Amino acid sequence: MAAETAVLASEDLWPIAAGVGVEASTVAVSIPGLSGSDPALPVTVATVGGTAGQATVALVARPRSSSSRRAAFALRTLARWGVRRLVCLGEVGAVRADWVPGDVAVLRDHVNLLGENPLVGPHDPTFGPRFPDMTEAYDPALAVRGSDAAAALGIRVRSAVYVALPGGARVTLAESRMLALIGADVVGSTIVPEVIAARHLGMSVLGLGLVTQVCAEGVDRRSGLPDVEAVVS
């Protein structure tokens, strides 16, 4: 597979990622780190771009069941295939009252509250340094390009700090206030393990979050939460 960029999307956002290719084919190879308890997922290789040029991109879906270590294994597999840039797509909840569903968060930093890290354990120096620098986990140049591309499509873009939580339920208002106090703008349960693993491998990373719901003081949630398909449309 000759692709220098991989787009790793959550299951709910996979239809968006899979729809970007003007030409696409499925590669008959699986990535064990992303298969979870389900049958191994194929990788879609798409040719994307326009008059300014084209690029070959690997599109990969991330099941919700994938753990940090399994995600790290998947990133190492992609690195072996020559991938040097990673775009992470995930749905997020906003903890700021002035955000709305449909906003796109371009991540500039994160806080890992998952209770796990894909690099904990025995160190293999062939993948990267023992303690990789995470002060610029998200590539500033890629963030600018991502922001410009979204803005050109009329999408409201927000620079954001992402907090990763284990998930299983929406955050409470008290949790939302706490997260805002520590500097968070959005919250989710994915992205961070892949970013840590990718940076350990020396990849450049762009993190994008689609805001699907807002949990903040003064925001009326009684009418229910929109699903991802409703937000996208």
Side-chain angles (χ1 to χ4, degrees), residues 15 34 44 58 61 75 104 107 112 119 126 133 144 176 180 194 196 199-200 203 214 216 218 223 226 228:
L34 292 177
T44 299
L75 265 295
V104 169
L107 307 187
N112 183 10
L119 304 184
T126 60
D133 178 29
V144 170
S176 175
E194 289 81 9
I196 293 173
R199 292 299 299 133
H200 183 233
M203 293 184 186
V214 179
S223 59
V228 173

Side-chain angles (χ1 to χ4, degrees), residues 27-43 61 63 70:
V27 179
V29 63
S30 63
I31 301 181
L34 292 177
S35 61
S37 59
D38 300 323
L41 293 172
V43 177
R70 292 170 69 85

Side-chain angles (χ1 to χ4, degrees), residues 109-176:
D109 209 343
H110 70 238
V111 179
N112 183 10
L113 297 182
L114 290 171
E116 60 178 342
N117 186 305
L119 304 184
V120 170
H123 173 236
D124 185 342
T126 60
F127 293 121
R130 185 65 186 94
F131 297 102
D133 178 29
M134 296 296 293
T135 55
E136 282 197 350
Y138 303 89
D139 187 280
L142 289 180
V144 170
R145 293 174 65 181
S147 297
D148 291 346
L153 295 173
I155 300 172
R156 185 161 69 166
V157 180
R158 305 274 200 154
S159 176
V161 174
Y162 177 96
V163 169
L165 295 176
R170 308 281 185 179
V171 297
T172 67
L173 283 174
E175 290 168 336
S176 175

Side-chain angles (χ1 to χ4, degrees), residues 17 26 28 33 46 73 83 88 100 107 118 121 123 132 136 171 179 186 205 210 217 223-224:
T26 299
F73 184 89
V83 169
C88 282
V100 297
L107 307 187
H123 173 236
E136 282 197 350
V171 297
L179 296 175
V186 293
V205 177
L210 174 65
E217 295 284 358
S223 59

